[in-house]
């Protein structure tokens, strides 16, 4: 099911509720409650459709380098534990110099150490993010780090905001609904901050400028608010941001693949040179 199909279902159900209200009952509160529940259900469904779409595309990009990393780590551990000690014994039998194999052993252990440090650092990062995700997000936003993370949450906000606007939800109600997203603490905190700013009587333009999102998104929102074209501009932004996000992610993935290929090339060439040493000894 696509987001467009969800919107069509919403429009059909919305019309049905209005007809039932006009023909059967005059209970305005019941109608408002049913419409509110319909909007929320459609929003939740559309949110999951969007998340799965982005997730599937991201997994397709990163699955290959991740498999390469796992296979390379497995090979390095096998060589460090079993192959290199055996090669050293062979070199001693043929009275070969152990300098090259010692360098090879150092290279293998250095890569394994980098792996371990990366895994520990990644686990600590995840722990820190889960501990206080909003503060962590604000830190990387203010320092200009984590462009992909900022783009990701900017796209999420824009897509959810657009979904709600298309269902006839006003701006204040949008932030109220966004503050109820159970699985996204960062958007919850941002939405609650916006609600507080609304209650303080701040102008919409000031609230938009304070949003910790991509500068392009804020420009589109300001223009849309001033000209009444928010929905069309958000559609345009999402198309632009989606292409930019996966373009940048693709560049990082390609860089990682090149690094892995270089390590594998050094690994293979060095191993080949080591295996030739006994043959060179026999030729003399």
């Amino acid at each position: 099911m696509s987001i467009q199909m969800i919107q069509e279902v919403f429009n059909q159900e919305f019309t049905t509720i209005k007809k039932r209200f006009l023909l059967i009952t005059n209970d305005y509160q019941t109608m408002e409650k049913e419409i509110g529940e319909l909007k929320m259900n459609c929003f939740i469904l559309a949110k999951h459709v969007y998340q799965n779409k982005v997730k599937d595309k991201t997994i397709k990009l990163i699955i290959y380098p991740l498999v390469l990393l796992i296979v390379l780590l497995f090979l390095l551990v096998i060589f460090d534990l079993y192959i290199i000690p055996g090669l050293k014994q062979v070199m001693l039998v043929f009275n070969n110099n152990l300098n090259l194999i010692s360098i090879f052993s150092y290279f293998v252990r250095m890569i394994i150490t980098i792996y371990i440090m990366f895994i520990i650092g990644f686990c600590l990062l995840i722990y820190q993010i889960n501990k206080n995700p909003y503060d962590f997000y604000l830190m990387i936003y203010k320092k200009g780090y984590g462009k992909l993370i900022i783009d990701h949450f900017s796209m999420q906000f824009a897509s959810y905001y657009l979904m709600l606007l298309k269902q006839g939800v006003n701006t204040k109600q949008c932030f109220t609904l966004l503050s109820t997203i159970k699985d996204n603490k960062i958007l919850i905190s941002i939405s609650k901050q916006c609600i507080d700013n609304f209650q303080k009587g701040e102008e919409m333009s000031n609230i938009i400028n304070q949003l910790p999102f991509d500068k392009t998104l804020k420009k589109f929102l300001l223009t849309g608010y001033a000209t009444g074209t928010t929905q069309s501009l958000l559609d345009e932004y999402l198309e632009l941001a989606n292409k930019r996000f996966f373009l940048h992610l693709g560049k990082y993935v390609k860089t990682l693949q090149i690094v892995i290929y270089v390590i594998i090339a050094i690994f293979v060439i060095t191993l080949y040179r080591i295996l030739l040493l006994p043959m060179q000894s026999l030729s003399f």
Side-chain angles (χ1 to χ4, degrees):
M1 180 180 283
S2 67
I3 292 174
Q4 287 77 12
M5 291 173 66
I6 295 171
Q7 188 63 39
E8 290 175 7
V9 171
F10 168 77
N11 292 335
Q12 291 171 4
E13 291 296 321
F14 181 77
T15 303
T16 302
I17 291 172
K18 286 183 70 176
K19 284 181 179 178
R20 190 167 71 248
F21 170 74
L22 293 171
L23 297 175
I24 302 174
T25 178
N26 290 320
D27 189 350
Y28 185 77
Q29 287 185 342
T30 301
M31 186 193 78
E32 283 293 309
K33 183 180 178 182
E34 288 185 13
I35 292 173
E37 289 176 354
L38 174 63
K39 288 177 179 179
M40 191 61 186
N41 291 335
C42 286
F43 167 65
I44 291 170
L45 183 57
K47 178 172 74 72
H48 286 299
V49 170
Y50 170 78
Q51 286 178 335
N52 290 334
K53 184 179 177 182
V54 174
K55 187 191 298 182
D56 291 344
K57 198 169 180 180
T58 302
I59 289 173
K60 285 179 182 178
L61 270 175
I62 66 174
I63 189 67
Y64 178 64
L66 281 179
V67 170
L68 278 179
L69 283 171
I70 293 168
V71 171
L72 180 58
L73 178 60
F74 176 76
L75 289 174
L76 289 171
V77 171
I78 293 297
F79 265 82
D80 187 53
L81 294 178
Y82 302 105
I83 307 298
I84 292 176
L87 287 173
K88 285 182 178 179
Q89 294 299 322
V90 172
M91 295 300 123
L92 289 173
V93 170
F94 286 93
N95 295 320
N96 285 123
N97 193 327
L98 295 179
N99 286 339
L100 184 58
I101 198 167
S102 296
I103 293 171
F104 182 64
S105 177
Y106 174 78
F107 171 74
V108 169
R109 290 185 178 180
M110 180 184 70
I111 299 300
I112 293 173
T113 303
I114 292 172
Y115 263 96
I116 294 170
M117 290 175 63
F118 175 79
I119 292 169
I120 293 172
F122 182 76
C123 291
L124 289 173
L125 179 64
I126 295 299
Y127 171 76
Q128 185 64 35
I129 292 172
N130 288 331
K131 187 178 178 182
N132 203 330
Y134 182 60
D135 287 346
F136 178 82
Y137 178 79
L138 283 182
M139 181 192 72
I140 63 171
Y141 175 78
K142 289 175 181 177
K143 292 186 177 182
Y145 302 147
K147 179 64 178 171
L148 280 177
I149 297 174
I150 294 167
D151 284 347
H152 168 69
F153 283 103
S154 297
M155 288 166 57
Q156 268 197 340
F157 171 79
S159 63
Y160 299 165
Y161 187 41
L162 178 61
M163 291 173 201
L164 292 169
L165 288 178
K166 286 182 175 179
Q167 292 171 18
V169 181
N170 64 43
T171 301
K172 193 172 182 179
Q173 288 175 333
C174 284
F175 285 115
T176 302
L177 288 173
L178 287 172
S179 67
T180 63
I181 302 175
K182 294 180 180 179
D183 57 348
N184 199 321
K185 294 180 181 179
I186 293 173
L187 284 187
I188 288 173
S189 299
I190 293 171
S191 300
K192 286 181 177 178
Q193 184 64 48
C194 290
I195 293 169
D196 290 341
N197 291 336
F198 269 118
Q199 291 174 347
K200 291 175 184 176
E202 289 195 30
E203 293 289 333
M204 185 62 185
S205 57
N206 291 334
I207 294 173
I208 292 172
N209 280 321
Q210 292 174 30
L211 290 172
F213 292 133
D214 174 33
K215 291 180 181 179
T216 305
L217 172 59
K218 292 196 282 189
K219 287 179 181 178
F220 275 57
L221 288 172
L222 286 169
T223 304
Y225 175 70
T227 59
T229 57
T230 302
Q231 290 190 29
S232 60
L233 286 175
L234 282 176
D235 273 321
E236 187 179 336
Y237 169 77
L238 283 170
E239 184 178 351
L240 176 69
N242 190 64
K243 290 179 181 177
R244 185 180 63 187
F245 176 81
F246 286 106
L247 179 65
H248 289 165
L249 181 61
K251 287 180 179 179
Y252 290 130
V253 168
K254 285 180 180 178
T255 302
L256 178 60
Q257 287 179 202
I258 291 170
V259 171
I260 295 170
Y261 291 150
V262 169
I263 292 172
I264 292 173
I266 295 171
F267 183 81
V268 170
I269 292 169
T270 308
L271 180 61
Y272 177 73
R273 289 290 303 160
I274 291 171
L275 294 175
L276 285 178
L277 288 176
M279 296 178 63
Q280 291 173 352
S281 299
L282 289 173
S283 64
F284 288 104

